[in-house]
Amino acid sequence: MVFGKRIAFLCAIAVLCDIGLFLFFVGYNSRFDCYVTIDEHQEIDIILPDNFLSIGIDASELQDYHKVDFGKLRFQKLATALQPARLRIGGTMSDRLIFSPKDNPHFSCNECASNISKVECHAIKKMCKNKEQPFFVLTGKKWSEINEFCNATGIKLLFALNLLLRDNHEWNSDNAVELFEYSSQRGYKVDWQLGNEPNSLHHIFHVTVTPKMLAHDFKKLRHVLDQHGYNNSLLVGPDTTRPQPNCHNCLQYMIDFLDNGSDVINVRSWHQYYLNSRTAKLEDFWDPKTFDLLNDQIITMKNNTMNYNNIPMWLTETSSSYGGGAPGLSNSYAGSPLWLDKLGLCAKHNITTVIRQSFFGGNYSLVDNKLEPLPDWWVSILYKKLVGNKVLHVDCNCTPMQRMYAHCTNRKNTNDTTAITIYAINLELVKARFFLNGTAIKGKNLDIDEFVISTPSNNRNTKTVLLNGWPLFYENSMPDLDPHHIRYGTIISLPPYSIGFWVVKNTLIKKCE
């Protein structure tokens, strides 16, 4: 009797498992249909620079002289694959950085050594007054390594100067002048910033620099740059944090700074993150409400600074989650849809440069400590390869779980002057099918190259990604990124939890020429 009950119980379990597997199979193979409309005669209002997608390295990574080896060939190759781009070196520790042309400067808070200048000594004593916060010295040798790396990779350097070197509420430019003179003598081409997230300085360093004071400091910096061979360098600022409903000062600081200092900057810049790295969970990374945060923040920032629309807007520091990135999320495929969607939204809103935090360092890097490329590096490589700088309008009749953008194709990738690149994200565990139509997509002469990024077994936490079903690995050179070829079709599709790029040739769009 007991044995019979056990048999019945096991049979019931088996039936339930079969039903579960069946339901999973049906759900996995079900699909959602989206209708995509692209107009042949649309005007192209936004043309992005070729270095739209750029990279950053946090200044804190330079504290250990040997941590970032800018001379390592593999490191240079991984960066070169993303050029043309900018490299921003900034972050919280940029406001604790002192430059010394000496290779081995000796410094102490108690007394200055004989081999450092009075300028460096003064700067060190200023930094020593805040005993709670460390500071460090960037040597001339390391600075040269950084600039030689930029020259070797075709990447333009953007460097944030220390705003907290101050005398009587005014920025002291003496240490910056040492850096400018050292750099101009060697022909280093650099664009400049002053400070990092100035609206948050009182929280981090217990120092307040008002927007009006900062505007005065920027004017002083512009004058000093013009005097020391950097009159053609861009001046980028003020690098405030993202606008938030519970932080009126975040947005107001930007407005007040522009009201006082817009005449000396070339770019108005701010930082953006979606989530807190300490509390973020996987589902937060794939929640459409998280994605919508950036769109709302861009609109808020642009609407409140529209008087300065003649000044380009950049995101000079941005990633999925602040605080160094969420381990296992920001540096895995979990963060890739947010990254691609950010590129699409910023392009759509004419944010002309997006600097990814970071290329190397932290849990949100494109390349890990062993110089292995992470999923977002591969996404960035495909974006650079396929997506051109002319932004198109596309209507996608989808749910919030599917997001789509379109550009003219990168002309380096094709000779077809009508080719467009569509890129999209599928956040659901169902297949998404996109029906291409509109006046730009007519006839049976379409020729489509398809690049679909997915993961083994739909594992969103993985650091291994597949391109059209094959794993991507970087040995000593870039592997062939071959497309799947679609002829005569007007339907493209995305598997569950995947990202896609499609180069659509033989369209009727003439504006991509």
Side-chain angles (χ1 to χ4, degrees):
M1 186 70 176
V2 174
F3 180 75
K5 288 182 178 180
R6 287 181 177 175
I7 292 293
F9 177 76
L10 292 173
C11 289
I13 291 294
V15 170
L16 289 172
C17 288
D18 288 341
I19 293 172
L21 288 171
F22 174 76
L23 291 174
F24 174 81
F25 179 81
V26 170
Y28 184 86
N29 288 278
S30 62
R31 65 173 186 255
F32 184 86
D33 291 342
C34 305
Y35 295 88
V36 178
T37 305
I38 302 176
D39 181 15
E40 170 191 2
H41 300 292
Q42 62 179 283
E43 293 297 323
I44 295 178
D45 299 318
I46 299 173
I47 301 178
L48 303 170
D50 292 338
N51 57 11
F52 166 71
L53 192 168
S54 290
I55 53 177
I57 293 178
D58 199 274
S60 63
E61 302 296 328
L62 306 180
Q63 289 177 264
D64 179 348
Y65 184 93
H66 300 288
K67 186 171 184 181
V68 185
D69 186 352
F70 289 95
K72 196 172 185 67
L73 182 59
R74 183 179 175 92
F75 189 76
Q76 292 186 3
K77 284 184 176 181
L78 291 167
T80 301
L82 294 170
Q83 64 92 13
R86 294 183 182 277
L87 169 65
R88 174 188 181 255
I89 294 181
T92 301
M93 286 305 295
S94 62
D95 283 318
R96 304 294 292 170
L97 183 155
I98 298 169
F99 172 73
S100 173
K102 305 291 184 182
D103 290 342
N104 295 293
H106 299 287
F107 55 87
S108 165
C109 284
N110 297 321
E111 61 176 316
C112 294
S114 59
N115 73 330
I116 66 172
S117 69
K118 290 181 179 180
V119 170
E120 295 159 52
C121 181
H122 180 74
I124 288 168
K125 289 186 179 299
K126 282 287 181 184
M127 294 293 99
C128 286
K129 286 183 178 180
N130 187 339
K131 297 180 180 180
E132 298 176 4
Q133 298 289 344
F135 69 92
F136 73 103
V137 173
L138 176 67
T139 66
K141 184 177 181 181
K142 195 65 178 181
W143 178 245
S144 293
E145 285 180 13
I146 294 168
N147 282 274
E148 288 162 8
F149 164 82
C150 290
N151 290 336
T153 58
I155 290 174
K156 183 67 179 291
L157 182 60
L158 174 66
F159 187 77
L161 299 162
N162 186 341
L163 176 63
L164 295 186
L165 291 174
R166 312 185 66 75
D167 292 324
N168 299 322
H169 306 294
E170 182 183 66
W171 177 60
N172 184 317
S173 62
D174 291 347
N175 191 235
V177 168
E178 284 194 322
L179 177 60
F180 300 154
E181 290 178 344
Y182 183 95
S183 303
S184 61
Q185 289 169 7
R186 291 159 177 78
Y188 297 153
K189 299 183 185 302
V190 187
D191 293 323
W192 305 93
Q193 297 183 279
L194 182 57
N196 180 79
E197 299 181 358
N199 59 302
S200 297
L201 288 176
H202 60 286
H203 293 305
I204 302 170
F205 298 115
H206 311 298
V207 175
T208 297
V209 177
T210 68
K212 190 172 183 178
M213 291 163 63
L214 183 65
H216 173 77
D217 295 335
F218 265 76
K219 291 176 182 180
K220 183 176 182 179
L221 172 57
R222 180 75 271 172
H223 178 70
V224 174
L225 286 171
D226 293 346
Q227 286 185 318
H228 291 86
Y230 284 100
N231 52 304
N232 292 322
S233 289
L234 296 183
L235 188 49
V236 179
D239 271 34
T240 54
T241 55
R242 65 201 182 283
Q244 301 176 71
N246 60 349
C247 180
H248 173 73
N249 179 54
C250 300
L251 177 60
Q252 193 60 46
Y253 198 103
M254 170 69 83
I255 296 168
D256 292 345
F257 171 81
L258 292 174
D259 288 344
N260 288 278
S262 62
D263 56 328
V264 293
I265 60 169
N266 303 100
V267 176
R268 49 194 166 133
S269 59
W270 52 290
H271 298 175
Q272 194 275 340
Y273 293 88
Y274 300 94
L275 302 164
N276 184 335
S277 295
R278 293 185 293 274
T279 59
K281 297 179 175 58
L282 174 62
E283 294 310 319
D284 297 330
F285 277 69
W286 289 69
D287 187 341
K289 292 179 181 178
T290 303
F291 285 72
D292 292 339
L293 290 173
L294 175 59
N295 189 62
D296 294 342
Q297 290 162 0
I298 292 175
I299 291 172
T300 298
M301 186 63 80
K302 293 187 75 173
N303 285 347
N304 283 274
T305 63
M306 63 175 57
N307 290 339
Y308 306 99
N309 281 346
N310 60 310
I311 305 173
M313 182 177 284
W314 294 2
L315 287 185
T316 43
E317 183 182 309
T318 189
S319 193
S320 54
S321 61
Y322 61 87
L329 294 171
S330 300
N331 55 358
S332 75
Y333 180 72
S336 296
L338 277 173
W339 174 229
L340 184 61
D341 189 68
K342 176 172 290 179
L343 294 171
L345 276 175
C346 286
K348 176 181 174 181
H349 286 290
N350 201 21
I351 306 291
T352 54
T353 297
V354 178
I355 299 179
R356 167 60 184 253
Q357 186 79 348
S358 64
F359 175 67
F360 178 87
N363 289 308
Y364 39 32
S365 62
L366 299 180
V367 174
D368 70 16
N369 290 335
K370 296 180 180 178
L371 300 187
E372 294 295 336
L374 295 166
D376 284 4
W377 185 86
W378 292 106
V379 172
S380 301
I381 290 296
L382 279 173
Y383 187 96
K384 286 277 188 178
K385 174 183 173 70
L386 304 174
V387 179
N389 53 12
K390 294 182 178 179
V391 182
L392 299 173
H393 178 75
V394 56
D395 287 315
C396 184
N397 182 20
C398 300
T399 75
M401 304 298 283
Q402 290 83 33
R403 310 170 81 88
M404 176 174 283
Y405 304 92
H407 294 222
C408 296
T409 297
N410 187 341
R411 289 296 300 276
K412 295 178 182 178
N413 186 60
T414 179
N415 293 322
D416 184 350
T417 59
T418 72
I420 66 173
T421 297
I422 298 169
Y423 53 104
I425 299 157
N426 183 15
L427 301 174
E428 287 188 291
L429 190 61
V430 295
K431 182 179 181 180
R433 243 183 6 167
F434 303 92
F435 291 81
L436 304 180
N437 56 58
T439 58
I441 311 290
K442 283 189 176 179
K444 296 183 178 180
N445 197 32
L446 287 179
D447 186 353
I448 303 176
D449 288 339
E450 179 180 68
F451 302 80
V452 173
I453 296 179
S454 59
T455 61
S457 305
N458 291 312
N459 178 8
R460 290 176 290 172
N461 290 107
T462 185
K463 294 180 182 178
T464 299
V465 290
L466 312 177
L467 176 61
N468 295 332
W470 294 92
L472 288 171
F473 296 105
Y474 185 94
E475 296 299 333
N476 294 314
S477 61
M478 181 68 66
D480 293 330
L481 301 175
D482 296 325
H484 171 65
H485 208 55
I486 303 172
R487 293 282 290 177
Y488 311 122
T490 57
I491 300 175
I492 56 179
S493 61
L494 274 179
Y497 296 152
S498 64
I499 288 169
F501 295 83
W502 299 268
V503 176
V504 185
K505 304 171 187 176
N506 302 322
T507 74
L508 297 180
I509 292 182
K510 306 300 182 185
K511 297 290 179 68
C512 288
E513 295 178 353

